[in-house]
Structures are given as structure tokens and as C-alpha cells.
Amino acid sequence: MHVLTKVFVFIAAVLSVALSTLVIAFAVNIDKIREDYQNLASAKAAIEAQSAAASAISDQERSRLNSVIEQLSREQATLKASLGNLENERNTLSAAKAKAETERDAITAKIAELGETTKTQATLITSYRDEVTTLRKNELDFRQRALDMDNRLNDLESQREVLEQNFRAVQEQLAEAKRSSASAAAPAAGIVSGAADQSFVYTGPRIQGRIEDVKVDASTGKTLVKLSVGTNDRVSKNMKMFLVRGDQFVANVVVITPDLKWSVAEVTLVNKGLQVTAGDLVVSRID
Amino acid sequence: MSQFGMQMPAGRKRAASPDVYTGLAVIATVFLAAATAVMWQAGAKVGKGGSPIALQESGRIELPALGK
């Protein structure tokens, strides 16, 4: 064998060993790389699956958020509308406030004016009060003078009544004297009467009054009446008077106790079927 | 072996000269060298740290950067 052959065979053997070493290493590395690649592929698939799931979840979340966004958009629109309404209301209220302030100022001015008017009226009232006080004082003085005059008048009236009573007494005495003289002369003198305690009919001016009360005397059983006329009206004791009701005769009464302004009489004759009642007319003669 | 070598023309005790086997050896060497070179380059691409004979660890593959 040629030496070159040996050399080249040796080199070939060495190269073969080196080549085999390289091939083995390469194969091992390739196997590991392939294994790792498969692991990475699996991991990638898992990650992709997770990503798909996350994507689905994100899609759901996105749709949910979109719906929330839409809802919020609607709420925003609603709030904007409410805001617009509130703005309009605010403007309206501002205008009303300005108007109210203007009215307030007007009222304040009017109050001030009324205050001045009140002061003026208070001054007037004070002057009127003073005037009224003066007038009342004058009226009191006038009334005092009127009372004094009334007292004076009453005194004079009392004096007049006393004088009138005296005059009537004198008249009665005169009439009694005339009756006494006439009873001795003739019974046609105008007084139908016998003794002094017998009843008589008054022939002077007609006396007229009313029955004020009717009572029955328990002791005697006789009916007594109270007349509204007395000696002031020329009524005297034993005077015979007549009770009428309308145009109907009721009874005869004889005065038993005369007073100044009233008298007590006894019923002597009653019309059949009738009774003496308060309010009946009593006259001295029936015309 | 020497018996066969004594019958073959190359087995005579004379100065050997390059023959076909030398050429085949040369060709084999050349191709082995070429294969070794190719495997060296390929191994360098997949070997750990760029070394063609270094082995990668499972789960911790370290490949050289592309273009290196």
C-alpha cells in the first residue's frame, strides 16, 4: 500500500471518527431540539387555547361593556335632558326671583309710603282726639246743665203736682159742698148718689183708663181690680165706673181706694157670660 | 493476507505506487472531509454555545443567534 494510501486511510479513519462524533452530537441535539420544539408547540397550543378562551371572555366582557356603555350613554342623554330642563327651570326661577325682588322693592317703597301716611294719620288722629276730648268735655258740661235743668224741672213739676193736688182737693171739697147742698135741694144736680159713702157717677169730663190687674179678695170673695187712673185723673172714692170691651159692656166697678196714678175698685155687677180681665177699658160714663 | 499479497501484483516487494485504492482513499477522504465540514457547520448551528460537539440540555435549548 502506498504511503499516501495509508495516510489517506488514516485521515479517512480520523475523519470518520470525527464525522461520526459530529453526526451523533448533531442527532442528539436535533432530537432534543425536536423535543423542545414539540413542547413549545404544545405550550403554544395551550396558550392559544387559553388565548381563545380569554378572547371569548374578552368578547363577552366587551359586549357587556358595550351594553354598559350604551346604558351609560342613554343615562347620559337622560341626564343631559334633565340638565337642560333644570337649566330652563333655573332661568325661570331666576326671572321669577328678579320679578320678586322688583316687587319686594316696590312693596318696601309702598311700606315706607304707608309709614309716612300712618304718621300723618296718627297726627290727624291725635288732633281729632284732642278735638273729641274737647267736644266730650263740652258735652259733659251740656249734660250737666241739662241734668240741672231736669232737676229744676222735676222740682217745678213736683211743685205743680202738689199745687194740682191741692187744686183738686179744693175742687173735691167744692163738689162735696155742692153735693151736700144739692142733696138737700134736688137729686137732678148731676150727681146720682145718696149718702157720702154711696157710689156716684162722675158727670165731669170723661175719665178713661185700663184694668191693670184682677184679683179675688179671699176674705170677702169679692173681685177687686186695679185701675190705671187715680186722683191725678179726677178719680175719687165711691166713684162708679164702667168696664167695656170693644163695644160690649162687661161690668160695673166702684172705686174703694184711689191713689195718685192708680186705684183699686170693687166689681159690683158683671155682664152674664163675661169675666173681667186685665186690659179692659174703664170709663167714667158710657156715651 | 500476505499470501494474497504475494499473488497480487501489489504484493511483490517493490515500491508501491499510487493506485486506485489510493484514489478511492483520496476520494473518500475528500468526501469525509467535506461531510465533516458540513456536519461541523450544521452541528455548530444546533450545538450548545455554537459548538458542534456540545450537547443541548433538555428543556434548556440554547441556539446561536441567526446570522452568526
Side-chain angles (χ1 to χ4, degrees):
Chain A
M1 183 183 294
H2 193 267
V3 63
L4 289 178
T5 305
K6 292 180 182 178
V7 170
F8 284 112
V9 169
F10 176 79
I11 294 171
V14 171
L15 291 176
S16 298
V17 171
L19 183 61
S20 64
T21 303
L22 292 174
V23 170
I24 290 169
F26 182 80
V28 170
N29 289 332
I30 287 297
D31 183 67
K32 290 183 179 176
I33 289 170
R34 185 184 61 81
E35 182 181 352
D36 188 68
Y37 174 78
Q38 287 181 346
N39 293 332
L40 290 176
S42 301
K44 178 185 174 184
I47 289 170
E48 287 179 350
Q50 291 178 358
S51 173
S55 176
I57 293 172
S58 70
D59 290 339
Q60 290 179 357
E61 187 69 17
R62 185 180 298 110
S63 64
R64 186 185 69 81
L65 292 175
N66 287 331
S67 65
V68 171
I69 289 170
E70 289 178 359
Q71 183 180 358
L72 291 175
S73 297
R74 288 194 294 271
E75 290 180 358
Q76 183 183 11
T78 305
L79 290 175
K80 282 185 177 179
S82 299
L83 182 63
N85 292 334
L86 290 175
E87 283 289 334
N88 295 332
E89 189 176 353
R90 186 180 70 85
N91 294 330
T92 304
L93 291 176
S94 297
K97 176 188 172 185
K99 183 179 178 183
E101 287 179 349
T102 305
E103 291 178 354
R104 181 200 62 191
D105 295 336
I107 291 171
T108 302
K110 191 174 290 184
I111 289 172
E113 182 181 351
L114 291 175
E116 293 298 324
T117 304
T118 303
K119 289 181 183 178
T120 305
Q121 289 179 350
T123 305
L124 288 174
I125 288 171
T126 302
S127 66
Y128 287 155
R129 184 189 62 191
D130 296 337
E131 187 176 350
V132 167
T133 302
T134 304
L135 289 174
R136 283 181 179 175
K137 184 175 179 301
N138 295 334
E139 182 180 358
L140 285 175
D141 295 339
F142 171 76
R143 287 191 178 184
Q144 186 64 39
R145 286 198 298 273
L147 286 175
D148 294 337
M149 291 181 67
D150 287 339
N151 292 332
R152 176 66 178 167
L153 184 63
N154 290 333
D155 292 339
L156 294 176
E157 186 70 19
S158 299
Q159 291 178 4
R160 185 190 67 78
E161 288 180 357
V162 170
L163 293 174
E164 189 173 340
Q165 290 295 324
N166 293 335
F167 176 71
R168 287 180 179 176
V170 169
Q171 280 186 333
E172 288 176 0
Q173 290 176 1
L174 181 62
E176 187 68 25
K178 286 183 178 178
R179 282 197 299 273
S180 299
S181 64
S183 64
I191 298 176
V192 181
S193 175
D197 57 348
Q198 292 183 354
S199 63
F200 65 94
V201 178
Y202 183 67
T203 59
R206 190 167 181 260
I207 300 171
Q208 181 175 319
R210 289 284 181 183
I211 301 297
E212 292 182 353
D213 194 10
V214 180
K215 286 187 178 178
V216 176
D217 190 355
S219 59
T220 61
K222 294 181 180 179
T223 303
L224 301 178
V225 294
K226 180 181 178 182
L227 308 180
S228 64
V229 290
T231 56
N232 289 341
D233 302 301
R234 300 181 303 280
V235 174
S236 61
K237 187 177 179 181
N238 296 326
M239 178 183 290
K240 184 178 181 180
M241 303 186 79
F242 310 94
L243 299 183
V244 296
R245 187 180 300 160
D247 57 353
Q248 191 177 17
F249 171 77
V250 179
N252 291 337
V253 296
V254 176
V255 178
I256 57 177
T257 305
D259 203 332
L260 290 175
K261 294 185 179 180
W262 53 273
S263 304
V264 176
E266 176 186 342
V267 177
T268 58
L269 178 64
V270 181
N271 190 358
K272 190 175 181 180
L274 297 178
Q275 286 186 349
V276 177
T277 58
D280 288 340
L281 182 65
V282 56
V283 294
S284 60
R285 68 171 182 272
I286 297 176
D287 294 329
Chain B
M1 290 298 289
S2 61
Q3 293 175 354
F4 288 101
M6 294 302 290
Q7 295 177 359
M8 299 300 287
R12 296 185 182 109
K13 297 284 181 179
R14 59 175 180 195
S17 60
D19 50 10
V20 65
Y21 299 106
T22 304
L24 290 175
V26 171
I27 294 171
T29 301
V30 170
F31 277 94
L32 284 173
T36 301
V38 171
M39 287 305 299
W40 182 275
Q41 291 179 355
K45 291 180 180 178
V46 297
K48 186 175 182 181
S51 173
I53 58 176
L55 298 178
Q56 297 283 354
E57 295 179 3
S58 296
R60 294 182 60 185
I61 302 300
E62 296 179 3
L63 295 177
L66 292 175
K68 185 172 181 180

